[in-house]
Amino acid sequence: MEGFYFYWLGWIFWGIVTFFMPKTAPRAITSVILLTILIFAPLNWTFGSYTVSFGLFFLLICFYAVVGRLPIKKLAYAIFVSLLIATVHVCIQAFIRMDPIILSVGPSLVQVVPSFILAVLLIRRSIRTVVLGIGMIHGEVMNQIRQASDWPVSIGSFVFWDLLALACALSIGVSAMMYSIQWVEKRTIQRYFRPKPIVNRIDKHA
């Protein structure tokens, strides 16, 4: 069912952010953004043969706001990686149209994993999910424009929302796992390998 992964993962992340994150301004902003995306996702704007999701447009603006705060060099690199991810997404969609039999084995993962692996290899985890999202959204736009001559196209359908939700969930999951490993490693080092305190002993016979 289209939208299944998107709504399940969306509400799960919204619950985690709202009820488990520390009560700070970033938590409130993230919670509002997630809720807005969940509300706007089914709303569409149609012009000509194109149908664009309001939620996808809003999410792209939020992603732009995040990467726009990067220094020039890091911003240029993020743009480069997002273009590579967009190209990979378009190539995967083109390959699926030529050989749809590959969708018989994990259809969602087949479309998500290549872009996800590229993001993991090329971008650091603090902005990995954002760059991955920008790349996949650009890839969706490019893919729909590429096939616009065939039939009316929908940019931001629930099929793509499912793919984007899975990709972001994988990225966040890997980042959380790496953070947990580093935290456990740091705690272990502090507990078992910290230097023993030097006892100041006074020699009574001196």
Side-chain angles (χ1 to χ4, degrees), residues 62-77:
C62 294
F63 282 160
Y64 282 160
V66 174
V67 298
R69 301 173 62 183
L70 296 175
I72 297 298
K73 291 184 178 180
K74 292 183 178 180
L75 176 61
Y77 181 72

Side-chain angles (χ1 to χ4, degrees), residues 82-155:
S82 67
L83 290 176
L84 288 180
I85 293 173
T87 304
V88 168
H89 182 78
V90 172
C91 292
I92 290 295
Q93 297 302 317
F95 182 70
I96 288 173
R97 292 190 66 189
M98 292 185 294
D99 188 14
I101 192 65
I102 64 174
L103 293 180
S104 61
V105 181
S108 298
L109 291 179
V110 167
Q111 301 176 72
V112 167
V113 168
S115 300
F116 165 71
I117 292 177
L118 187 63
V120 170
L121 293 176
L122 296 181
I123 205 76
R124 58 191 178 90
R125 66 173 181 263
S126 59
I127 59 168
R128 179 187 300 144
T129 303
V130 173
V131 175
L132 176 60
I134 291 175
M136 290 191 66
I137 294 174
H138 286 175
E140 169 72 358
V141 174
M142 292 164 60
N143 181 60
Q144 297 299 338
I145 292 177
R146 181 182 62 84
Q147 62 185 22
S149 59
D150 297 340
W151 52 71
V153 296
S154 175
I155 300 175

Side-chain angles (χ1 to χ4, degrees), residues 137-199:
I137 294 174
H138 286 175
E140 169 72 358
V141 174
M142 292 164 60
N143 181 60
Q144 297 299 338
I145 292 177
R146 181 182 62 84
Q147 62 185 22
S149 59
D150 297 340
W151 52 71
V153 296
S154 175
I155 300 175
S157 65
F158 277 120
V159 174
F160 176 73
W161 275 115
D162 283 343
L163 299 179
L164 184 61
L166 285 172
C168 292
L170 286 173
S171 178
I172 294 172
V174 169
S175 298
M177 182 179 65
M178 296 302 298
Y179 176 82
S180 300
I181 292 173
Q182 292 178 355
W183 182 84
V184 171
E185 181 183 7
K186 182 179 179 180
R187 295 286 294 180
T188 303
I189 292 174
Q190 290 178 347
R191 183 173 181 179
Y192 295 102
F193 298 99
R194 60 184 177 184
K196 296 181 179 180
I198 300 176
V199 180

